[in-house]
Amino acid sequence: MSTRYRIPITGGDPVTNHKWVIQQELKDAGDQLYVSGTEVVLNADHMAGMKGATATVDTGEQTTVYMVDYTPTTGGEPVRNHKWVTGDELKAK
C-alpha cells in the first residue's frame, strides 16, 4: 500500500506518497485489507523515523512485492535489500 506518515518519530516534515509498506509492517494488521484514508501505525523501519509513526493509507492493493538489490543509475554504491518494489515497477533486463 502507498502511505503517507504525518510526522516521522525522529521529527521533521511529514512524508508523503511513500511506496510501499506491506501488511506485515503495520501494527496489529491481521489480514484485513485497508482502504484509502485508514489511519495505521507503522512497524516498518526501512526508513529513519518510520517505526511507530502514524500513517494514513493512500492506496491499498493485493499484489506481489519484491525486495531487490540494485546499483543506482546515477552512480553510487549498490543498494542491497531495498524494500519494496511491485511487479509493475520491474522490467526484464
Side-chain angles (χ1 to χ4, degrees), residues 10 18 23 37 41 45 58 61 73 76 78-80 91 93:
T10 54
H18 175 78
Q23 192 84 7
V41 175
D45 62 358
D58 288 332
E61 59 187 81
T73 59
V79 175
R80 294 190 42 83
K91 68 178 183 177
K93 185 175 176 182

Side-chain angles (χ1 to χ4, degrees), residues 69-80:
D69 297 340
Y70 71 93
T71 301
T73 59
T74 56
E77 295 297 315
V79 175
R80 294 190 42 83

